Structure formats: structure tokens, C-alpha cells
Amino acid sequence: MSDPVRLIKKYPNRRLYDTKTSAYITLGDVKDLVLKFESFKVLDAKSGDDLTRSILLQIILEEETGGVPMFSSELLSGFIRFYGSAMQGMLGKYLENNMKAFVDFQQKMQDQSRSMYGDNTHMQADFWAQFLNFQQPAMQSMMTAYMDQSKKMFQSMQDQIQSQTRNIFSGFPPVAEKDEK
């Protein structure tokens, strides 16, 4: 049986309280929960509102400002442009599915590394360094092909939506323009 979702309460003074450990925690502690794949939910202590996404976004912001950013300004601008568009929900699901596929691939590679080198973390690190060094051009090519395929898929979906929209509205008579005199 899996553990129940861990409850963290956020108080008006911005402090986070972990109900499992009965102690105040930091964003760094929440990040550790994420890294350990522990299920948790952050709720506003007063209103009961779910603040989990907000806390995760704060962690991402800290990571982005603290070191080498993962997201370029161009990518972030692209995300912002999708808010409010018809494709907003599809983009979120698309990114989520791609992240899952990437994590699955990474897990399989780590399992393979463990089977070759056991729990020797130094050897595993060497394996990963060699793999990425030799496979980087192949991975870049694969990612480029994947992105091209995704771009074509999105264009095809957009074309289908436009075609369906034209078909839906083709049965209506054109709107007559009023003659202004």
C-alpha cells in the first residue's frame, strides 16, 4: 500500500509546516521531497486552497536564478504566449507526456548502468559521462527529428481544426453588411 499524500500547510507568515514530521520546513526541504518522489500537497492553512503548484513554481524560480538556467528567455516567452490560447491545454499535456517519456528513458539508462556497475556511483558517473560524450550528436539528431515530427503533428492538428471550423460554419449564410448612407 502506498503512503498517503503528505500534507504541508502554508501559514500567512509564509512558513511551511509539515504535518508528518510536525515541524516547519523550507522550500529546500520541499525540493528534497520532489527529488525523493514523495507525494505531497501544500494547502493554505487558513483557506484550505491548494498551493502545491505555486510552491513548485517558487522552487523552479529559485533553481533558475541560482545557477545555470534550464529555460531560455525565448522558451519562457513562448510559454507566456500560449496562455489564453486554444492550444494552452494541449501544450501542457504535450510537455507533461514528453517529460514522462524523458524520465522513463533516463530511468532505463540508470537501471542499465546499475546492472553493469552495481552500486558503484563513481563507475556509474563515468558511464554517464562517456555515454553523453559519445551520444551527444546522436541525441541531438534524435531530438531534432523528434521536434520536427512534433512540429508537423501540431501543424496537421491546426490544419484539421481550421478545416473542421470551415465545415461547421459553411452551412450558415454569410452575414450581410449594412449599407451605411
Side-chain angles (χ1 to χ4, degrees), residues 67-130:
V68 179
M70 187 183 310
F71 302 116
S72 68
S73 294
E74 184 178 332
L75 178 64
L76 292 171
S77 296
F79 285 156
I80 291 168
R81 288 183 196 106
F82 269 95
Y83 283 100
S85 79
M87 301 293 274
Q88 179 179 340
M90 290 179 66
L91 177 66
K93 196 64 177 164
Y94 172 79
L95 292 172
E96 186 177 333
N97 288 336
N98 281 299
M99 181 58 99
K100 284 179 184 175
F102 185 79
V103 169
D104 288 346
F105 172 76
Q106 183 184 25
Q107 185 63 48
K108 286 177 185 171
M109 292 302 294
Q110 287 175 338
D111 291 346
Q112 193 172 31
S113 169
R114 254 186 238 105
S115 70
M116 290 170 54
Y117 300 112
D119 286 332
N120 185 337
T121 54
H122 179 71
M123 292 294 283
Q124 286 182 23
D126 287 346
F127 168 79
W128 275 106
Q130 289 176 5

Side-chain angles (χ1 to χ4, degrees), residues 21 23 27 33 39 52 56 65 68-69 76 79 94 104 126-127 129 140 146 152-153 156 161-162 169 173 180:
T21 62
L27 281 179
L33 295 176
S39 295
T52 308
L56 293 172
T65 57
V68 179
L76 292 171
F79 285 156
Y94 172 79
D104 288 346
D126 287 346
F127 168 79
Q140 190 68 36
Y146 177 74
K152 288 176 186 172
M153 180 191 72
S156 173
I161 290 170
Q162 286 176 349
F169 291 109
E180 291 185 37

Side-chain angles (χ1 to χ4, degrees), residues 42-52:
V42 181
L43 299 180
D44 185 285
K46 211 175 212 182
S47 68
D49 292 343
D50 188 344
L51 303 175
T52 308

